[in-house]
């Protein structure tokens, strides 16, 4: 079913229901981070083509918005079924294209199937409401507001490399369910996996022009797309740097931003240390730490630090490193530039006296999992987002110091608290400047109907299925003002 999305391993774009080639004849070769083998080529689209795509989405929006919600849901449900049928093929492409271990790639695709199904059902449940005026002083019950939810129009969906299928569908499905049309700009590294997803939605019966794709480097065509006057809402997931840039250059365009993170695990003296260490290692090193919700620092009370550090180091030493098609956890990073950045943080920590517990071993863009103890706040690793397999451990004297260091970060995505004292847990959770606090669990986005948001440099707006549908639609009130009833009508009993 994917024959028409590429020609001679050159991937096309979805435009008005057709898979088309760009007139630019400009291609970007996608090489696998595993072995530099060519996965395929994508098109570098031009500004003129962007204009055509956005206008097509604008002119196609009405047909889709007028479709009964139940029919939209049927098509969205069908896309979930098609994705499930093709999950193994797409998981293999994901692993090749972004070096995500095959087990995580399979769960990304299956998670996306569940996400899309839940979105279709939730979209049918999101109804408007009716309000009566007499709840407010000076107004009567003859003023009736019929409040419905309206689509916003054309949604620009931009997704990051680390979840090209799931973090694309988490925008596209709710946007479509709300009645919007979508212009989809996938990450360059991840475009091929994402184009397979676009084909799945198209094959499910979306009317032509409702979902269109634009491939090309964000650094080249990105600004042209985001500044386009016919874009009604931007739904972006990516780095805080690019997110901040987008919000600076796109005034008055509503946007949802899911950005970077520096999630902290705060470990108290009464915590179950095996459980904490196990969660911390999973949270820090799955997909080699290339997750916005990866645990990226540990703040541990001095009195239990030695024991926790030993447990973490032992569990990290058991992590398998290697080819993502094998049963491993640590795989090559997305590119050498990313690996260089992580190595820079490692070297800075060593120069400034951190205790290397394990790791600091590198083979090209494959970095072995690294743990540092005795990290201090003058080290870059204490504050910067590595997006790689390195974990700094900061020893603190008390809870207040842990909260201060946690909140001193520019980021505010999630935090974990490990303790058996629920009162302490809630007390600390209320003090933490983050979107979500996990008690006795690693930081993570799912389950996908929970609210997912970042504060400070970690984002704007809220995602999570119902929140996403509501964020990409808006209330509309039609207010009926009943006039004096004629004397033919009796009193209300
Ligand atoms: P990125 O470099 O910010 O890129 C994200 C997306 O933005 C890509 O599709 C990129 O295209 C595009 N882009 C770049 N410049 C653009 C511009 N001027 N205008 C429009 N689009 C532009 O992020 P990444 O490296 O893919 O992902 C890693 C980052 O994303 C990390 O910081 C991570 O924390 C964050 N992230 C956050 C979440 C979350 O939910 N909070 C989830 C995942 C990742 P190209 O690929 O063509 O450059
Ligand atoms: O970085 C992607 C982000 O959305 C994390 O998702 O489920 O790995 O916590 P998850």
């Amino acid at each position: 079913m994917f024959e028409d999305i590429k020609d001679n391993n050159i991937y096309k774009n979805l435009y008005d229901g057709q898979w088309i080639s760009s007139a630019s004849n400009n291609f970007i070769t996608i090489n696998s981070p595993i072995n530099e083998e060519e996965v395929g080529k994508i098109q570098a689209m031009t500004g003129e083509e962007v204009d055509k795509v956005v206008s097509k989405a604008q002119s196609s929006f009405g047909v889709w918005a007028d479709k009964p919600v139940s029919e939209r849901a049927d098509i969205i449900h069908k896309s979930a079924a098609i994705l499930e049928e093709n999950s193994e093929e797409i998981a293999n492409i994901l692993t090749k294209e972004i070096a995500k271990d095959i087990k995580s790639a399979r769960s990304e695709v299956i998670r996306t199937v569940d996400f899309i199904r839940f979105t279709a059902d939730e979209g049918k449940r999101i109804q408007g409401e009716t309000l009566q005026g007499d709840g407010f002083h000076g107004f009567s019950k003859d003023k009736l507001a019929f409040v419905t939810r309206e689509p916003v129009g054309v949604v620009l969906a931009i997704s990051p490399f680390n979840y090209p299928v799931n973090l694309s569908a988490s925008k596209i499905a709710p946007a479509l369910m709300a009645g919007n049309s979508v212009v989809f700009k996938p990450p360059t590294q991840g475009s091929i996996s994402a184009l397979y997803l676009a084909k799945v939605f198209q094959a499910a019966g979306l009317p032509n022009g409702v979902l269109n794709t634009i491939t090309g480097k964000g650094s080249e065509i990105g600004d042209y797309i985001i500044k386009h006057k016919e874009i009604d809402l931007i739904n972006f997931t990516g780095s805080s740097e690019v997110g901040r840039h987008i919000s600076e250059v796109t005034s008055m365009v509503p946007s949802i931003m899911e950005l970077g993170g520096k999630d902290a695990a705060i470990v108290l003296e009464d915590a179950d240390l095996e459980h904490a260490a196990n969660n911390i290692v999973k949270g820090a090193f799955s997909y080699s730490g290339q997750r916005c919700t990866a645990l990226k620092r540990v703040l541990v009370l001095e009195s239990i630090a030695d024991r926790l550090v030993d447990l973490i180091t032992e569990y990290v030493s058991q992590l398998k490193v290697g080819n993502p098609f094998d049963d491993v956890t640590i795989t090559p990073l997305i590119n050498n530039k990313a690996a260089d950045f992580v190595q820079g943080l490692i070297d800075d920590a060593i120069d400034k006296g951190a205790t290397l517990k394990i790791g600091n071993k590198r083979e090209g863009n494959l970095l072995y999992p690294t743990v540092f103890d005795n990290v201090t706040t003058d080290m870059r690793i204490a504050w910067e987002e590595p997006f790689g397999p390195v974990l700094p451990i900061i020893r603190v004297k008390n809870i207040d110091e842990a909260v201060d260091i946690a909140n001193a970060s520019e980021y505010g995505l999630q935090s974990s608290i490990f303790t058996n004292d629920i009162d302490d847990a809630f007390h600390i959770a209320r003090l933490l400047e983050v979107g979500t606090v996990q008690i006795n669990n690693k930081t993570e986005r799912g389950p996908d109907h929970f609210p997912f948001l970042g504060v400070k440099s970690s984002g704007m707006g809220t995602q999570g299925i119902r929140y996403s549908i509501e964020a990409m639609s808006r209330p509309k009130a039609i207010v009926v003002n009943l006039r004096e009833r004629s004397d033919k009508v009796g009193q209300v009993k």
Side-chain angles (χ1 to χ4, degrees):
M1 72 164 269
F2 297 108
E3 303 70 40
D4 59 349
I5 75 171
K6 62 178 175 176
D7 183 6
N8 215 356
N9 218 24
I10 299 176
Y11 287 81
K12 302 176 183 175
N13 271 284
L14 178 59
Y15 171 71
D16 196 18
Q18 309 304 315
W19 288 88
I20 60 159
S21 300
S22 165
S24 73
N25 254 343
N26 211 346
F27 306 112
I28 301 164
T29 302
I30 307 295
N31 295 314
S32 173
I34 304 168
N35 51 19
E36 289 306 311
E37 199 183 291
E38 180 176 322
V39 183
K41 289 182 170 48
I42 61 166
Q43 322 255 349
M45 289 172 78
T46 64
E48 293 80 46
E49 288 166 338
V50 168
D51 293 342
K52 278 178 62 182
V53 165
V54 179
S55 304
K56 178 53 66 180
Q58 198 57 261
S59 59
S60 312
F61 146 64
V63 177
W64 179 245
D66 291 345
K67 209 179 251 308
V69 172
S70 56
E71 291 179 25
R72 294 205 292 259
D74 293 345
I75 290 173
I76 304 293
H77 261 302
K78 190 162 176 216
S79 60
I82 296 171
L83 182 60
E84 191 165 37
E85 282 154 25
N86 297 280
S87 59
E88 190 55 23
E89 179 176 359
I90 295 175
N92 275 275
I93 290 162
L94 255 179
T95 294
K96 218 183 282 171
E97 190 177 13
I98 64 168
K100 180 170 278 192
D101 63 278
I102 190 66
K103 207 159 91 268
S104 301
R106 286 187 181 117
S107 66
E108 175 176 346
V109 179
I110 295 306
R111 176 186 182 176
T112 307
V113 170
D114 295 339
F115 184 103
I116 295 173
R117 284 202 173 112
F118 196 112
T119 301
D121 295 335
E122 189 71 10
K124 287 191 281 186
R125 283 192 285 266
I126 293 181
Q127 296 291 332
E129 59 184 337
T130 303
L131 302 169
Q132 245 176 226
D134 61 343
F136 205 88
H137 285 303
F139 291 90
S140 81
K141 60 161 69 51
D142 292 339
K143 182 181 279 292
L144 294 165
F146 293 86
V147 183
T148 56
R149 294 221 59 100
E150 302 286 311
V152 294
V154 176
V155 169
L156 170 59
I158 305 176
S159 51
F161 80 78
N162 65 333
Y163 280 83
V165 171
N166 185 266
L167 281 175
S168 302
S170 70
K171 300 170 190 317
I172 296 170
L176 292 174
M177 215 36 239
N180 303 293
S181 58
V182 177
V183 170
F184 172 36
K185 191 292 188 210
T188 296
Q189 196 79 27
S191 280
I192 295 174
S193 310
L195 290 170
Y196 274 78
L197 176 74
K199 173 65 186 181
V200 164
F201 280 111
Q202 183 216 7
L206 272 184
N208 294 346
V210 170
L211 174 63
N212 309 279
T213 64
I214 296 175
T215 54
K217 290 199 171 141
S219 54
E220 291 164 7
I221 194 71
D223 277 15
Y224 191 90
I225 307 170
I226 58 176
K227 292 179 185 173
H228 202 287
K229 289 289 167 257
E230 293 189 279
I231 298 284
D232 297 300
L233 182 143
I234 298 173
N235 189 331
F236 173 82
T237 295
S239 61
S240 298
E241 185 204 346
V242 173
R244 201 173 294 116
H245 165 72
I246 292 177
S247 66
E248 275 156 12
V249 300
T250 57
S251 60
M252 289 301 285
V253 176
S255 56
I256 308 164
M257 296 275 174
E258 293 291 354
L259 309 176
K262 186 70 180 176
D263 295 2
I266 297 175
V267 187
L268 305 190
E269 285 157 332
D270 70 332
D272 172 339
L273 296 184
E274 277 81 16
H275 175 76
N278 188 14
N279 265 269
I280 287 169
V281 170
K282 279 205 184 90
F285 294 104
S286 66
Y287 189 34
S288 309
Q290 297 177 113
R291 295 169 49 242
C292 61
T293 49
L295 275 172
K296 296 176 179 130
R297 50 188 173 150
V298 174
L299 304 172
V300 57
L301 275 284
E302 185 64 51
S303 58
I304 51 155
D306 291 350
R307 177 86 183 108
L308 183 72
V309 169
D310 290 348
L311 285 167
I312 288 174
T313 307
E314 182 201 329
Y315 296 163
V316 169
S317 68
Q318 293 155 7
L319 293 175
K320 295 202 189 100
V321 178
N323 185 309
F325 281 104
D326 300 333
D327 179 17
V328 299
T329 300
I330 306 296
T331 60
L333 294 186
I334 200 68
N335 53 42
N336 274 313
K337 181 168 164 255
D340 291 345
F341 177 76
V342 178
Q343 189 62 49
L345 297 178
I346 290 173
D347 298 344
D348 173 81
I350 291 171
D351 295 350
K352 291 177 178 160
T355 310
L356 177 66
K357 297 302 290 181
I358 186 170
N360 187 26
K361 183 177 166 201
R362 175 181 180 177
E363 293 153 7
N365 60 336
L366 178 63
L367 270 69
Y368 284 67
T370 298
V371 176
F372 282 108
D373 186 6
N374 298 312
V375 168
T376 49
T377 53
D378 61 324
M379 297 172 189
R380 293 176 54 201
I381 190 72
W383 306 107
E384 297 183 32
E385 179 184 45
F387 232 58
V390 56
L391 181 66
I393 300 173
I394 300 172
R395 294 172 179 238
V396 294
K397 291 184 288 306
N398 52 46
I399 292 177
D400 291 344
E401 186 185 0
V403 170
D404 290 348
I405 294 176
N407 285 343
S409 168
E410 69 162 306
Y411 295 106
L413 193 58
Q414 299 202 353
S415 276
S416 293
I417 303 169
F418 291 95
T419 174
N420 288 324
D421 184 322
I422 194 66
D423 305 319
D424 276 352
F426 266 80
H427 165 64
I428 297 167
R430 289 185 176 138
L431 296 172
L432 292 170
E433 298 164 3
V434 290
T436 302
V437 176
Q438 305 274 353
I439 297 175
N440 292 322
N441 192 70
K442 59 183 169 60
T443 45
E444 58 190 0
R445 175 165 46 106
D448 291 319
H449 61 304
F450 281 16
F452 180 67
L453 66 154
V455 298
K456 302 194 283 188
S457 294
S458 290
M460 290 193 299
T462 304
Q463 304 216 68
I465 295 170
R466 178 167 57 79
Y467 303 90
S468 295
I469 296 173
E470 290 177 347
M472 292 185 279
S473 60
R474 57 170 168 252
K476 177 153 187 185
I478 299 175
V479 179
V480 174
N481 298 279
L482 303 175
R483 279 154 302 145
E484 286 310 309
R485 67 175 179 276
S486 68
D487 53 10
K488 290 196 286 310
V489 179
Q491 285 298 330
V492 174
K493 296 280 178 295

